[in-house]
Amino acid sequence: MSRWQRWRFWKTAFFCALAAVIGLASPAAALEPSTTSVTATPSTAAVGAPVELDATVSCPEDPSGGLGVSFFDGPDLLATVPVAPDGTATYDTTFATTGTHTITAAYNGNDNCAASNDEATVTVSSSPTPPDPPYGFCVLACGGVINFTVGNIDNDVVVY
């Protein structure tokens, strides 16, 4: 066999093998598209007040399993929680700083559903100022042993 014939043989063998690999390879499973929506309840809160973050994932297939939904406050990861078979994921949090917090719920996908995400905002204000305390009320009897002053943040108890 001449050099030219050997080169032609190996070139043909290579392309036949490549075609066989491509032809016999199983196609990659196509992921169904998903959509994610997120809500924050309440959307305005004071520092330290509880806020419930609810994500809903819609996908023609079951969106549960996989890596769940990751909740972010800006770039900071708050938590990753599992997705229920009905497509819901919930996380309760509080905020330590005032301002507008951009919350992202990122569905991480699973074997059937592609990843998706959505954003919501939570406006956090400083703790409300307590009202001026009233003169207080007496327990047991006016001028009694224990006198409470209501309304201040410390709730002082004076024992005589």
Side-chain angles (χ1 to χ4, degrees), residues 33-58:
S34 72
T35 58
T36 299
S37 62
V38 63
T39 57
T41 307
S43 60
T44 59
V47 168
V51 176
E52 182 176 283
L53 305 177
D54 295 303
T56 303
V57 178
S58 297

PDB file of all heavy atoms in Angstrom, residues 33-58:
ATOM      1  N   PRO A  33     -38.387  24.763  30.167  1.00  0.00           N
ATOM      2  CA  PRO A  33     -38.184  26.104  30.709  1.00  0.00           C
ATOM      3  C   PRO A  33     -38.989  26.278  31.997  1.00  0.00           C
ATOM      4  O   PRO A  33     -40.032  25.642  32.174  1.00  0.00           O
ATOM      5  CB  PRO A  33     -38.708  27.025  29.611  1.00  0.00           C
ATOM      6  CG  PRO A  33     -39.649  26.181  28.821  1.00  0.00           C
ATOM      7  CD  PRO A  33     -39.146  24.763  28.931  1.00  0.00           C
ATOM      8  N   SER A  34     -38.502  27.106  32.894  1.00  0.00           N
ATOM      9  CA  SER A  34     -39.217  27.382  34.135  1.00  0.00           C
ATOM     10  C   SER A  34     -39.321  28.885  34.318  1.00  0.00           C
ATOM     11  O   SER A  34     -38.567  29.650  33.714  1.00  0.00           O
ATOM     12  CB  SER A  34     -38.507  26.754  35.333  1.00  0.00           C
ATOM     13  OG  SER A  34     -37.319  27.457  35.621  1.00  0.00           O
ATOM     14  N   THR A  35     -40.252  29.297  35.149  1.00  0.00           N
ATOM     15  CA  THR A  35     -40.338  30.693  35.572  1.00  0.00           C
ATOM     16  C   THR A  35     -40.405  30.712  37.088  1.00  0.00           C
ATOM     17  O   THR A  35     -40.953  29.796  37.705  1.00  0.00           O
ATOM     18  CB  THR A  35     -41.582  31.409  35.003  1.00  0.00           C
ATOM     19  OG1 THR A  35     -42.747  30.696  35.412  1.00  0.00           O
ATOM     20  CG2 THR A  35     -41.525  31.489  33.490  1.00  0.00           C
ATOM     21  N   THR A  36     -39.835  31.739  37.663  1.00  0.00           N
ATOM     22  CA  THR A  36     -39.830  31.887  39.108  1.00  0.00           C
ATOM     23  C   THR A  36     -40.386  33.263  39.447  1.00  0.00           C
ATOM     24  O   THR A  36     -40.065  34.241  38.774  1.00  0.00           O
ATOM     25  CB  THR A  36     -38.396  31.769  39.665  1.00  0.00           C
ATOM     26  OG1 THR A  36     -37.894  30.470  39.342  1.00  0.00           O
ATOM     27  CG2 THR A  36     -38.355  31.952  41.168  1.00  0.00           C
ATOM     28  N   SER A  37     -41.232  33.316  40.457  1.00  0.00           N
ATOM     29  CA  SER A  37     -41.705  34.605  40.968  1.00  0.00           C
ATOM     30  C   SER A  37     -41.437  34.638  42.468  1.00  0.00           C
ATOM     31  O   SER A  37     -41.453  33.604  43.130  1.00  0.00           O
ATOM     32  CB  SER A  37     -43.186  34.814  40.673  1.00  0.00           C
ATOM     33  OG  SER A  37     -43.960  33.824  41.314  1.00  0.00           O
ATOM     34  N   VAL A  38     -41.164  35.830  42.987  1.00  0.00           N
ATOM     35  CA  VAL A  38     -40.873  35.975  44.416  1.00  0.00           C
ATOM     36  C   VAL A  38     -41.673  37.143  44.972  1.00  0.00           C
ATOM     37  O   VAL A  38     -41.862  38.149  44.294  1.00  0.00           O
ATOM     38  CB  VAL A  38     -39.355  36.163  44.675  1.00  0.00           C
ATOM     39  CG1 VAL A  38     -38.826  37.435  44.054  1.00  0.00           C
ATOM     40  CG2 VAL A  38     -39.049  36.131  46.167  1.00  0.00           C
ATOM     41  N   THR A  39     -42.161  36.972  46.192  1.00  0.00           N
ATOM     42  CA  THR A  39     -42.833  38.045  46.907  1.00  0.00           C
ATOM     43  C   THR A  39     -42.265  38.115  48.320  1.00  0.00           C
ATOM     44  O   THR A  39     -41.820  37.104  48.872  1.00  0.00           O
ATOM     45  CB  THR A  39     -44.358  37.817  47.003  1.00  0.00           C
ATOM     46  OG1 THR A  39     -44.607  36.572  47.637  1.00  0.00           O
ATOM     47  CG2 THR A  39     -45.003  37.832  45.632  1.00  0.00           C
ATOM     48  N   ALA A  40     -42.285  39.319  48.864  1.00  0.00           N
ATOM     49  CA  ALA A  40     -41.852  39.548  50.239  1.00  0.00           C
ATOM     50  C   ALA A  40     -43.048  40.090  51.014  1.00  0.00           C
ATOM     51  O   ALA A  40     -43.687  41.042  50.581  1.00  0.00           O
ATOM     52  CB  ALA A  40     -40.704  40.544  50.276  1.00  0.00           C
ATOM     53  N   THR A  41     -43.353  39.464  52.152  1.00  0.00           N
ATOM     54  CA  THR A  41     -44.490  39.883  52.957  1.00  0.00           C
ATOM     55  C   THR A  41     -44.024  40.137  54.383  1.00  0.00           C
ATOM     56  O   THR A  41     -43.551  39.203  55.019  1.00  0.00           O
ATOM     57  CB  THR A  41     -45.581  38.798  52.953  1.00  0.00           C
ATOM     58  OG1 THR A  41     -45.884  38.460  51.599  1.00  0.00           O
ATOM     59  CG2 THR A  41     -46.818  39.275  53.649  1.00  0.00           C
ATOM     60  N   PRO A  42     -44.115  41.362  54.863  1.00  0.00           N
ATOM     61  CA  PRO A  42     -44.545  42.582  54.187  1.00  0.00           C
ATOM     62  C   PRO A  42     -43.411  43.128  53.312  1.00  0.00           C
ATOM     63  O   PRO A  42     -42.252  42.760  53.491  1.00  0.00           O
ATOM     64  CB  PRO A  42     -44.854  43.538  55.339  1.00  0.00           C
ATOM     65  CG  PRO A  42     -43.915  43.113  56.426  1.00  0.00           C
ATOM     66  CD  PRO A  42     -43.806  41.613  56.285  1.00  0.00           C
ATOM     67  N   SER A  43     -43.755  44.030  52.411  1.00  0.00           N
ATOM     68  CA  SER A  43     -42.733  44.603  51.525  1.00  0.00           C
ATOM     69  C   SER A  43     -42.043  45.800  52.173  1.00  0.00           C
ATOM     70  O   SER A  43     -41.038  46.278  51.654  1.00  0.00           O
ATOM     71  CB  SER A  43     -43.338  45.000  50.179  1.00  0.00           C
ATOM     72  OG  SER A  43     -44.347  45.973  50.381  1.00  0.00           O
ATOM     73  N   THR A  44     -42.598  46.286  53.281  1.00  0.00           N
ATOM     74  CA  THR A  44     -41.929  47.303  54.089  1.00  0.00           C
ATOM     75  C   THR A  44     -41.908  46.795  55.528  1.00  0.00           C
ATOM     76  O   THR A  44     -42.900  46.259  56.012  1.00  0.00           O
ATOM     77  CB  THR A  44     -42.649  48.668  54.031  1.00  0.00           C
ATOM     78  OG1 THR A  44     -43.983  48.510  54.503  1.00  0.00           O
ATOM     79  CG2 THR A  44     -42.657  49.226  52.624  1.00  0.00           C
ATOM     80  N   ALA A  45     -40.779  46.955  56.180  1.00  0.00           N
ATOM     81  CA  ALA A  45     -40.633  46.431  57.536  1.00  0.00           C
ATOM     82  C   ALA A  45     -39.629  47.270  58.297  1.00  0.00           C
ATOM     83  O   ALA A  45     -38.835  48.006  57.706  1.00  0.00           O
ATOM     84  CB  ALA A  45     -40.166  44.978  57.490  1.00  0.00           C
ATOM     85  N   ALA A  46     -39.660  47.145  59.602  1.00  0.00           N
ATOM     86  CA  ALA A  46     -38.676  47.803  60.464  1.00  0.00           C
ATOM     87  C   ALA A  46     -37.476  46.869  60.637  1.00  0.00           C
ATOM     88  O   ALA A  46     -37.577  45.665  60.417  1.00  0.00           O
ATOM     89  CB  ALA A  46     -39.299  48.119  61.822  1.00  0.00           C
ATOM     90  N   VAL A  47     -36.350  47.437  61.026  1.00  0.00           N
ATOM     91  CA  VAL A  47     -35.162  46.636  61.312  1.00  0.00           C
ATOM     92  C   VAL A  47     -35.533  45.573  62.339  1.00  0.00           C
ATOM     93  O   VAL A  47     -36.187  45.861  63.341  1.00  0.00           O
ATOM     94  CB  VAL A  47     -34.025  47.531  61.838  1.00  0.00           C
ATOM     95  CG1 VAL A  47     -32.895  46.694  62.410  1.00  0.00           C
ATOM     96  CG2 VAL A  47     -33.507  48.443  60.749  1.00  0.00           C
ATOM     97  N   GLY A  48     -35.167  44.341  62.071  1.00  0.00           N
ATOM     98  CA  GLY A  48     -35.411  43.241  62.998  1.00  0.00           C
ATOM     99  C   GLY A  48     -36.795  42.622  62.899  1.00  0.00           C
ATOM    100  O   GLY A  48     -37.051  41.607  63.541  1.00  0.00           O
ATOM    101  N   ALA A  49     -37.693  43.209  62.113  1.00  0.00           N
ATOM    102  CA  ALA A  49     -39.047  42.647  61.972  1.00  0.00           C
ATOM    103  C   ALA A  49     -39.022  41.467  61.001  1.00  0.00           C
ATOM    104  O   ALA A  49     -38.270  41.469  60.028  1.00  0.00           O
ATOM    105  CB  ALA A  49     -40.013  43.714  61.472  1.00  0.00           C
ATOM    106  N   PRO A  50     -39.834  40.440  61.233  1.00  0.00           N
ATOM    107  CA  PRO A  50     -39.827  39.276  60.340  1.00  0.00           C
ATOM    108  C   PRO A  50     -40.427  39.598  58.969  1.00  0.00           C
ATOM    109  O   PRO A  50     -41.397  40.345  58.867  1.00  0.00           O
ATOM    110  CB  PRO A  50     -40.690  38.251  61.080  1.00  0.00           C
ATOM    111  CG  PRO A  50     -41.531  39.050  62.012  1.00  0.00           C
ATOM    112  CD  PRO A  50     -40.752  40.286  62.355  1.00  0.00           C
ATOM    113  N   VAL A  51     -39.809  39.034  57.941  1.00  0.00           N
ATOM    114  CA  VAL A  51     -40.280  39.152  56.563  1.00  0.00           C
ATOM    115  C   VAL A  51     -40.288  37.753  55.975  1.00  0.00           C
ATOM    116  O   VAL A  51     -39.312  37.013  56.099  1.00  0.00           O
ATOM    117  CB  VAL A  51     -39.374  40.081  55.718  1.00  0.00           C
ATOM    118  CG1 VAL A  51     -39.820  40.109  54.269  1.00  0.00           C
ATOM    119  CG2 VAL A  51     -39.341  41.481  56.304  1.00  0.00           C
ATOM    120  N   GLU A  52     -41.391  37.373  55.347  1.00  0.00           N
ATOM    121  CA  GLU A  52     -41.493  36.058  54.710  1.00  0.00           C
ATOM    122  C   GLU A  52     -41.234  36.205  53.218  1.00  0.00           C
ATOM    123  O   GLU A  52     -41.882  36.998  52.540  1.00  0.00           O
ATOM    124  CB  GLU A  52     -42.887  35.467  54.935  1.00  0.00           C
ATOM    125  CG  GLU A  52     -43.023  34.078  54.343  1.00  0.00           C
ATOM    126  CD  GLU A  52     -44.375  33.463  54.659  1.00  0.00           C
ATOM    127  OE1 GLU A  52     -44.558  33.010  55.807  1.00  0.00           O
ATOM    128  OE2 GLU A  52     -45.233  33.454  53.758  1.00  0.00           O
ATOM    129  N   LEU A  53     -40.267  35.432  52.715  1.00  0.00           N
ATOM    130  CA  LEU A  53     -39.950  35.417  51.289  1.00  0.00           C
ATOM    131  C   LEU A  53     -40.555  34.158  50.691  1.00  0.00           C
ATOM    132  O   LEU A  53     -40.269  33.047  51.153  1.00  0.00           O
ATOM    133  CB  LEU A  53     -38.433  35.437  51.088  1.00  0.00           C
ATOM    134  CG  LEU A  53     -37.686  36.589  51.768  1.00  0.00           C
ATOM    135  CD1 LEU A  53     -36.187  36.437  51.558  1.00  0.00           C
ATOM    136  CD2 LEU A  53     -38.181  37.920  51.274  1.00  0.00           C
ATOM    137  N   ASP A  54     -41.410  34.327  49.677  1.00  0.00           N
ATOM    138  CA  ASP A  54     -42.081  33.203  49.030  1.00  0.00           C
ATOM    139  C   ASP A  54     -41.712  33.165  47.553  1.00  0.00           C
ATOM    140  O   ASP A  54     -41.899  34.161  46.849  1.00  0.00           O
ATOM    141  CB  ASP A  54     -43.606  33.335  49.152  1.00  0.00           C
ATOM    142  CG  ASP A  54     -44.075  33.243  50.584  1.00  0.00           C
ATOM    143  OD1 ASP A  54     -43.780  32.225  51.225  1.00  0.00           O
ATOM    144  OD2 ASP A  54     -44.723  34.201  51.056  1.00  0.00           O
ATOM    145  N   ALA A  55     -41.199  32.032  47.118  1.00  0.00           N
ATOM    146  CA  ALA A  55     -40.891  31.834  45.703  1.00  0.00           C
ATOM    147  C   ALA A  55     -41.843  30.780  45.143  1.00  0.00           C
ATOM    148  O   ALA A  55     -42.168  29.811  45.834  1.00  0.00           O
ATOM    149  CB  ALA A  55     -39.443  31.378  45.518  1.00  0.00           C
ATOM    150  N   THR A  56     -42.286  30.998  43.921  1.00  0.00           N
ATOM    151  CA  THR A  56     -43.122  30.025  43.225  1.00  0.00           C
ATOM    152  C   THR A  56     -42.453  29.707  41.901  1.00  0.00           C
ATOM    153  O   THR A  56     -42.164  30.613  41.114  1.00  0.00           O
ATOM    154  CB  THR A  56     -44.542  30.578  42.982  1.00  0.00           C
ATOM    155  OG1 THR A  56     -45.099  30.948  44.246  1.00  0.00           O
ATOM    156  CG2 THR A  56     -45.418  29.544  42.328  1.00  0.00           C
ATOM    157  N   VAL A  57     -42.199  28.423  41.670  1.00  0.00           N
ATOM    158  CA  VAL A  57     -41.552  27.965  40.445  1.00  0.00           C
ATOM    159  C   VAL A  57     -42.592  27.258  39.590  1.00  0.00           C
ATOM    160  O   VAL A  57     -43.298  26.373  40.075  1.00  0.00           O
ATOM    161  CB  VAL A  57     -40.386  26.994  40.758  1.00  0.00           C
ATOM    162  CG1 VAL A  57     -39.751  26.481  39.469  1.00  0.00           C
ATOM    163  CG2 VAL A  57     -39.361  27.665  41.650  1.00  0.00           C
ATOM    164  N   SER A  58     -42.695  27.670  38.336  1.00  0.00           N
ATOM    165  CA  SER A  58     -43.606  27.027  37.391  1.00  0.00           C
ATOM    166  C   SER A  58     -42.781  26.318  36.332  1.00  0.00           C
ATOM    167  O   SER A  58     -41.875  26.912  35.741  1.00  0.00           O
ATOM    168  CB  SER A  58     -44.506  28.064  36.715  1.00  0.00           C
ATOM    169  OG  SER A  58     -45.317  28.699  37.668  1.00  0.00           O
TER     170      SER A  58
END
